[in-house]
């Protein structure tokens, strides 16, 4: 059974970060597809879980239609967290192993404490955004809207710029979430480091590769949009594809060779 090493010496500074050209985005997707095909069932189980969760959330938000877009935006915060098992599977594949559900479970167990704290942080960020969005909607929208069609009509015809402001703030909030998650989760799965060190490494990786990371964020946004447009069914394949590709983003951008690994206690 694997446990977080209590005696590991964590370097005070984040590990070295490499730079990558924007074209590498396509290579990461190619490697993610390779991992998905090699892993098979364990990867697709992650996709199935996300499909079921997404449909459940959609069914709930349809009772209050104004929550649909807010719930969709929260995927930015929760999505990387749910992919923890996919990072562990890709790690196993990179080491020549035969991936299984056990690899995914061990990925959660290794960094359980840090993952729990980071998960709480992401949930808190999501709650803050939902509260802010609802406050804007209820206090500043003076039009009666009873269904999604009326909401779309309001968005296309409103002249007060409120939806534009919400979109800009949401984009900035999503950019911040992306910066602190894109490398953090794979690093926590791979190495025995603190949450703070992992977050600093993620922010540095984005800062050193702004254009490439912008392209990668657009790819994630596009694939997520396709999944939404397919009635969430696209997540069955596209979610594990994004998760596995994210592992290759981390492994290429971060030189984690000097960071402590997890110890195994017999």
């Amino acid at each position: 059974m694997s446990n977080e090493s209590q005696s590991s010496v964590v370097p005070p500074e984040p590990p070295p970060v490499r730079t990558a050209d924007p074209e590498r985005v396509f290579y990461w997707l190619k490697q993610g597809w390779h991992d998905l095909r090699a892993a098979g069932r364990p990867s697709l189980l992650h996709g199935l879980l996300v499909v079921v969760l997404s449909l459940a959330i959609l069914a709930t938000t349809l009772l209050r239609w104004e929550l649909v877009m807010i719930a969709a935006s929260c995927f930015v915060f929760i999505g990387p967290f749910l992919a923890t098992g996919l990072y562990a599977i890709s790690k196993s594949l990179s080491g020549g192993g035969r991936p299984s559900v056990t690899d995914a479970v061990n990925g959660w167990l290794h960094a359980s404490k840090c993952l729990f704290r980071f998960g709480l942080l992401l949930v808190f960020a999501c709650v803050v955004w939902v509260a802010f969005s609802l406050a804007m909607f209820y206090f500043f929208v003076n039009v009666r809207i009873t269904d999604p069609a009326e909401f779309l009509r309001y968005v296309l015809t409103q002249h007060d710029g409120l939806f534009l402001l919400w979109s800009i703030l949401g984009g900035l909030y999503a950019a911040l979430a992306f910066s602190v998650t894109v490398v953090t989760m794979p690093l926590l799965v791979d190495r025995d480091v603190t949450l703070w060190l992992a977050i600093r490494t993620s922010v540095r990786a984005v800062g050193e590769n702004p254009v490439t990371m912008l392209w990668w964020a657009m790819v994630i946004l596009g694939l997520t949009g396709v999944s939404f447009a397919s009635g969430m069914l696209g997540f069955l394949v596209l979610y594990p594809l994004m998760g596995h590709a994210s592992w290759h983003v981390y492994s290429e951008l971060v030189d984690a060779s000097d960071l402590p690994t997890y110890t195994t206690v017999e």
Side-chain angles (χ1 to χ4, degrees):
M1 176 176 168
S2 299
N3 295 304
E4 186 176 12
S5 173
Q6 302 298 322
S7 58
S8 298
V9 178
V10 179
E13 294 297 324
V17 171
R18 309 182 187 96
T19 57
D21 295 329
E23 309 87 71
R24 298 297 289 175
V25 167
F26 301 104
Y27 171 77
W28 297 333
L29 287 173
K30 178 181 177 181
Q31 292 301 107
W33 177 250
H34 176 271
D35 287 357
L36 173 58
R37 293 186 61 186
R41 188 175 302 173
S43 291
L44 292 176
L45 283 175
H46 284 78
L48 179 61
L49 174 62
V50 172
V51 169
V52 172
L53 289 176
S54 299
L55 290 175
I57 293 173
L58 178 62
T60 302
T61 55
L62 286 178
L63 299 176
R64 296 291 301 274
W65 64 265
E66 66 269 23
L67 296 179
V68 173
M69 293 190 64
I70 299 173
S73 63
C74 282
F75 184 82
V76 175
F77 303 97
I78 307 302
F81 182 75
L82 296 177
T84 297
L86 295 170
Y87 309 140
I89 290 173
S90 283
K91 178 182 178 181
S92 175
L93 284 169
S94 66
R98 300 182 63 181
S100 65
V101 175
T102 302
D103 292 314
V105 173
N106 286 339
W108 285 94
L109 294 178
H110 280 159
S112 57
K113 292 182 179 179
C114 286
L115 289 175
F116 178 74
R117 290 194 293 267
F118 194 48
L120 289 179
L121 178 63
L122 294 177
V123 169
F124 175 77
C126 184
V127 169
V128 169
W129 175 246
V130 170
F132 172 77
S133 300
L134 288 176
M136 287 191 65
F137 181 83
Y138 281 110
F139 290 109
F140 297 102
V141 176
N142 298 316
V143 179
R144 180 176 175 78
I145 302 175
T146 58
D147 57 54
E150 290 187 358
F151 177 72
L152 181 60
R153 189 179 305 113
Y154 165 75
V155 170
L156 296 176
T157 60
Q158 54 96 27
H159 302 290
D160 54 14
L162 182 65
F163 184 77
L164 177 62
L165 175 61
W166 181 84
S167 300
I168 293 174
L169 293 177
L172 293 174
Y173 207 55
L176 176 61
F178 178 79
S179 297
V180 300
T181 58
V182 64
V183 164
T184 298
M185 299 302 301
L187 179 54
L188 289 175
V189 171
D190 187 35
R191 299 288 169 161
D192 187 4
V193 297
T194 64
L195 175 59
W196 176 236
L197 181 67
I199 291 176
R200 292 168 63 195
T201 303
S202 187
V203 172
R204 175 179 289 187
V206 174
E208 293 291 333
N209 298 273
V211 177
T212 303
M213 289 295 95
L214 176 60
W215 274 101
W216 180 236
M218 292 299 100
V219 168
I220 293 176
L221 180 62
L223 294 178
T224 301
V226 170
S227 298
F228 284 142
S230 66
M232 307 302 178
L233 298 179
F235 280 128
L236 180 64
V237 173
L238 296 182
Y239 185 78
L241 172 64
M242 290 186 284
H244 289 306
S246 295
W247 168 265
H248 292 281
V249 174
Y250 153 73
S251 61
E252 180 166 337
L253 296 185
V254 179
D255 180 6
S257 57
D258 291 334
L259 296 177
T261 58
Y262 291 100
T263 58
T264 301
V265 180
E266 299 294 338

